[in-house]
Amino acid sequence: MTDPLASDPEIAELLRREETRRRGSLQMVAAESTATPAVRAAVGSILADKYAEGYPGHRYHGGAEVVDEVEQLAISRAHTLFGADYVNVQPLSWALANFAVYAAFSQPGDQVLSLNLKHGGHQSHGSRANLSGRWFSVLNYEVRRDTERIDYDQIRDLALIHRPRILVAGGTSYSRSWDFAAMRTIADEADCILWVDAAHLAGLAVGGVLDSPVPYADVVTVATNKVMRGPRGGLLLARSEHEDSLSRAVYPFMQGAPAMHSIAAKAVAFGECLRPEYAAYARDVADDAATLATELGARGLRTVSGGTDTHLAVIEVSSLGITGREAAKRLAACRIIVDKAVTPFDEAPVSEGSAIRFGTAVLAADGLRPADMPQIADLMLDAMRTDPSDEARRAAITAAVAAVGEG
């Protein structure tokens, strides 16, 4: 069969280079996973051509009979998977799902209480560089200095004093599980909306590794492209009383026509998450992360909060005499891909950081298990300790990484 991209050799070559980059490397960016073949097939399907503005049964454009069934199937599977009253599969991204929450429940200038960005929060929870931080009055809670875990007493105090419109649970670099029941109690006391941003948590929750936030939250946002191995996209889950406000917030307020090929791929991912083998995968993801954090600790590197309950961990590297930025650079030179990070009370500039953040969703998808983590920890330490000018040593580590990555 002729390669459809033969007509565009420049893009074909770039795709080939990306495949080469990934092959034989250790992809450990916490926000990434590997979409399954069925998900990729749906993303590249004929549905990419279809314009379907509106909701099933109420489309603006004609010829939507089939895509109505596709969207209803995705909704039905999400209901089964998450147990939520209301499901909206249309958000084009996780960030847009987050902004739909603001649109549904608040007005510009309203107060929002969320986790401090340096303590594991996310830009869309109130960073001044983001729409959320410019349009809303954002207050931050922090982790405890002694444990580096969520301080629920502080959250309650802040919520009762300031009475925010929205209380946000969840983040992007916090590696521990959340006490959703405690957050629900605080939200009820402060009479505010409890929003759980489960971008990094949902895939582990449906796999039985973490508690689900759905029974506790007013609204939950999900990134279907992280641990769940689905397409890039967002998902809204909520209590039934919020259906109208959230539906209008997504369409027509936040976006126009949905991406029907992505919705089909979401349906595929939800179906795959309902299979027993997905639960085994989710457990492997969490076990890999916990084991790797432990192994790095045994080699002298401290894990923020002392460990992880999830697929990610933040590892302080300042004991090696380098910044997080330099550590990530040295690891990348040996084909180990992570992110630089900050620790909760980091004194280093954010642009440099004192830590790295890794995730294990791709490692587990590639078949790597806890027994492989000691070797990976050794390779990471070797890479971070190797002077960038030592090309021979770096080549040796890269070869060892390729053997693990392709093994």
Side-chain angles (χ1 to χ4, degrees):
M1 180 178 179
T2 303
D3 182 359
L5 282 176
S7 62
D8 194 331
E10 291 175 291
I11 286 293
E13 172 60 15
L14 289 169
L15 294 179
R16 185 197 65 77
R17 284 172 52 193
E18 175 63 8
E19 290 178 359
T20 300
R21 183 190 70 81
R22 296 187 193 187
R23 190 181 307 117
S25 64
L26 296 175
Q27 298 296 313
M28 297 170 62
V29 173
E32 294 181 351
S33 66
T34 305
T36 66
V39 165
R40 289 184 180 177
V43 169
S45 71
I46 193 173
L47 295 184
D49 301 332
K50 183 58 190 156
Y51 213 79
E53 187 174 330
Y55 288 104
H58 304 279
R59 307 288 190 184
Y60 179 80
H61 299 279
E65 297 83 2
V66 174
V67 293
D68 276 1
E69 292 188 41
V70 169
E71 186 164 341
Q72 291 287 16
L73 181 58
I75 291 169
S76 175
R77 289 180 178 178
H79 276 301
T80 302
L81 185 63
F82 293 98
D85 297 331
Y86 167 73
V87 171
N88 192 313
V89 297
Q90 289 201 7
L92 297 171
S93 71
W94 158 49
L96 283 173
N98 287 356
F99 294 145
V101 174
Y102 293 115
F105 298 113
S106 60
Q107 295 293 323
D110 282 352
Q111 288 195 325
V112 176
L113 179 57
S114 61
L115 179 60
N116 186 300
L117 186 63
K118 289 185 67 174
H119 291 232
H122 188 259
Q123 285 191 346
S124 63
H125 301 168
S127 166
R128 286 294 299 171
N130 185 266
L131 176 152
S132 58
R134 297 190 186 189
W135 283 19
F136 302 98
S137 177
V138 179
L139 302 165
N140 288 142
Y141 55 87
E142 299 179 344
V143 298
R144 292 173 57 95
R145 186 176 287 272
D146 56 346
T147 64
E148 295 177 314
R149 297 194 185 203
I150 295 296
D151 187 340
Y152 294 97
D153 291 334
Q154 182 195 58
I155 297 173
R156 183 176 184 273
D157 290 343
L158 289 170
L160 293 180
I161 292 171
H162 297 283
R163 303 283 174 169
R165 180 69 183 122
I166 299 174
L167 172 60
V168 187
T172 192
S173 293
Y174 184 69
S175 65
R176 294 299 188 171
S177 59
W178 288 73
D179 188 340
F180 297 123
M183 295 295 283
R184 177 74 264 167
T185 298
I186 294 168
D188 288 340
E189 288 186 74
D191 191 25
C192 59
I193 292 293
L194 176 58
W195 162 27
V196 176
D197 186 337
H200 285 274
L201 306 175
L204 295 173
V206 298
V209 175
L210 298 175
D211 290 338
S212 171
V214 170
Y216 304 97
D218 288 283
V219 59
V220 178
T221 52
V222 175
T224 54
N225 54 293
K226 297 192 188 296
V227 178
M228 293 179 67
R229 304 189 67 184
R232 293 192 63 84
L235 175 69
L236 281 165
L237 310 167
R239 295 181 172 184
S240 57
E241 61 262 35
H242 303 312
E243 177 175 352
D244 288 344
S245 57
L246 284 167
S247 293
R248 289 195 300 269
V250 174
Y251 172 80
F253 188 81
M254 288 298 304
Q255 62 185 48
M260 293 311 306
H261 56 306
S262 179
I263 289 177
K266 291 174 187 179
V268 171
F270 301 154
E272 291 178 336
C273 287
L274 288 165
R275 298 172 186 168
E277 52 266 35
Y278 178 81
Y281 160 74
R283 173 48 60 189
D284 288 337
V285 170
D287 288 347
D288 281 355
T291 304
L292 182 53
T294 297
E295 292 295 332
L296 290 170
R299 289 155 177 78
L301 297 185
R302 187 184 76 86
T303 302
V304 169
S305 81
T308 177
D309 302 319
T310 66
H311 65 297
L312 65 86
V314 177
I315 308 295
E316 189 172 357
V317 298
S318 53
S319 62
L320 299 176
I322 57 176
T323 65
R325 182 184 182 89
E326 179 63 22
K329 181 179 178 181
R330 292 186 183 190
L331 287 163
C334 296
R335 302 191 70 183
I336 302 172
I337 311 302
V338 302
D339 293 321
K340 68 175 176 64
V342 296
T343 60
F345 301 96
D346 210 327
E347 296 182 358
V350 173
S351 61
E352 295 294 328
S354 298
I356 58 171
R357 182 185 70 153
F358 72 75
T360 53
V362 177
L363 297 187
D366 287 345
L368 296 171
R369 299 293 178 260
D372 299 303
M373 296 305 114
Q375 183 181 6
I376 292 175
D378 285 338
L379 291 169
M380 291 177 72
L381 260 293
D382 285 349
M384 287 187 285
R385 286 173 172 157
T386 297
D387 189 285
S389 64
D390 190 343
E391 295 184 8
R393 180 60 187 155
R394 193 174 66 197
I397 298 169
T398 301
V401 167
V404 173
E406 294 176 352

